[in-house]
Amino acid sequence: MPKENAIETRSSRKVYGAGSEAVVALDDVSIAIRKGEFFTLLGPSGCGKTTLLRLIAGFETPTSGHILLNGQDITDVPPNRRPVNTVFQSYALFPHLSVRENVGFGLQMKGRPASEIGTKVERALSMVQLGAMADRKPAQLSGGQQQRVALARALAPSPEVLLLDEPLSALDLKLRKEMQSELKRLQHELGITFIFVTHDQEEALTMSDRIGVMSSGRLLQIGSPREIYNHPVNRFVADFIGETNFIPADVHDGTATIAGDIAMQVAPDSPQGRHTIAVRPEHVRILNDPAAAPMRATVTDTTYFGTDSHVRMLLQGGTEIVARYQSEAAGGDAPTTGTDVGVSFAPGSVQVLQD
Amino acid sequence: MSAREEAETRRDARNTWLLSAPALVILTLAAAGPLLIMLVYSFLTPGDYGNVVWKFSTDAWVGTILSKDIFDGTYSLADAHLTIFWRSVKLSLITTLFTFIVGFPTAWFIATRTARTRTALLFLITIPFWTNLLIRTFAINQIIRNEGILNTFLIYLGVIDTPLVIIYSDFAVFLGMTYVYLPLMVLPLFAAIDRFDMKLLEAAYDLYATRLQVLRKVVFPIVRPGIVAGSILVFIPSLGAYVTPRILGGGRNMMIGNFIELQFGQGRNWPLGAALSVLLLLIVAAALVVYIRATSRETSNG
């Protein structure tokens, strides 16, 4: 069992400062990251995701708990003796060295023979399509190229685990999209475990095998992008990943009741009592005939987005919800402000949240 | 832009150097002038009571390294002069090295503090400049002389029975110069370290570098301009130091500065003094060229 995990943290806790000024950056985080997996730590800034990454890299030691690499405790091993490399958010390229020397730095420090360094550097550079730039200094490269050098530098020593600390956040949208697919491709080819930190939920959903959602130093949920998106465990996760409608409801025996009398089916093992249910905007259906639908609503605002429109409505009972209306599929334009419409939720799309 | 406007712009660009004319005049008079006088004087004959006689002679230049036997007129190497040159260069090199060894951690410490502490610490570094160099040097004299504070204290503690003889030695001169010139090393080093991206330390450490390798392969090459500037600022005044060797070295442990002063004073050999001054300038220039060449080669090799 432990052999399958590339990285494991056991009840890792990190506290900065002491006494009354102590700040808990990481609160009892236990996580198991599988070999060859693209794992993303997702959360807003200050949630502890970077701290967790720094613990794995070895730049910080946990206040308590353990870090394991391939089942071996590496909590007290310094960064230069961990087969783990980092791609820094600011790239942190060595300004006095050429691209080639930057990429070869890790191998050189490991004391590898020059011939091996030469081949591996060439391979790493061609992997990120920067062979032609080998003799330039980092300052002569664009942001996107620097990013690739940082990636090649971290990959050249063939680490067991690659840590990426928001590496794409400084790039413009087009370049970011390109790098996303490139990273995914590289990870697939090399089979190295990637641990990727981001606050961008879309990035996390498109790239990851699994996502760990963090908030206030805690790990809230681990799962595949699909699981996280479709079955968020609580309001924070639901709200952070994509857009969601929150509606207060009474839940009893697999039935949620909203606005006093509208009942709908939910998962039988959902928590009982007064809770919030979550429905994604794309699961909200709008019917032009109010009588044919289980719920009625009045449109308050419509925003056109090209492929679809976001229709904001006031549901009976006074809750505001948003629907994503696809004109093509629905065969007509979105309803205008003031229209009374019927609303239904797609079967199985209603999720009961724990808090 | 019209033709007339363009002509005006051109004329302005041509004439802007005139604005720096006052500075150029002062620089020429203040820097090149005295140097020229020294160069001319070094090729003249000494007068009987100081000053110079306007008669061409190369005696002064020959006399910088050779001495003429007064009986048979043969020349031999002037050992006393060479000893003084060697002592000056040696003490200046050691002083530069030692101010770097002490100054680098100091500058690093200051540069890695919070903005407020940093300002306070930099302020502290400049405090020695508030007091006259002469007074500071005498203060060191008071501390290290045989009946001084240090010896009295050590004897009182019973660590030693007889006073340590520190004063009037090369070591005392080195000690004094290190103290006096330390801020000149710390400030440029601080400026360089302040610009250093501390993330690079983690990057190097992450890429399997040991702490020593991080220092040698990443920190030193990047803060090199600060190291060069600090070394120059310490080495040059050390080489020409006058007050420190005079007060802490006594009469015997002369450096070039004292030797030059001797020629213009009691020695009454102004041409020799002038020749020595020009020689000092040449040594400094040569040392700088060698040093800068050596340090820039280091980076191109990686």
Side-chain angles (χ1 to χ4, degrees), chain B residues 2 22 80 119 122 130-131 134 158 212 218 259 298:
Chain B
S2 77
T119 318
L122 280 178
W130 296 12
T131 314
L134 202 60
L212 198 66
V218 177
F259 192 49
E298 206 170 280

Side-chain angles (χ1 to χ4, degrees), chain A residues 138-176:
Chain A
Q140 296 168 291
L141 302 179
S142 71
Q145 290 168 334
Q146 290 185 14
Q147 218 284 318
R148 284 158 193 268
V149 176
L151 188 62
R153 184 180 69 173
L155 284 172
S158 317
E160 304 240 358
V161 178
L162 188 74
L163 308 178
L164 302 107
D165 185 8
E166 308 216 15
L168 308 180
S169 60
L171 304 179
D172 61 54
L173 187 68
K174 191 167 171 294
L175 212 51
R176 192 154 69 224

Side-chain angles (χ1 to χ4, degrees), chain B residues 23 41 68 79 83 219-220:
Chain B
Y41 272 29
K68 192 176 177 182
D79 288 343
T83 311
V219 179
F220 285 166

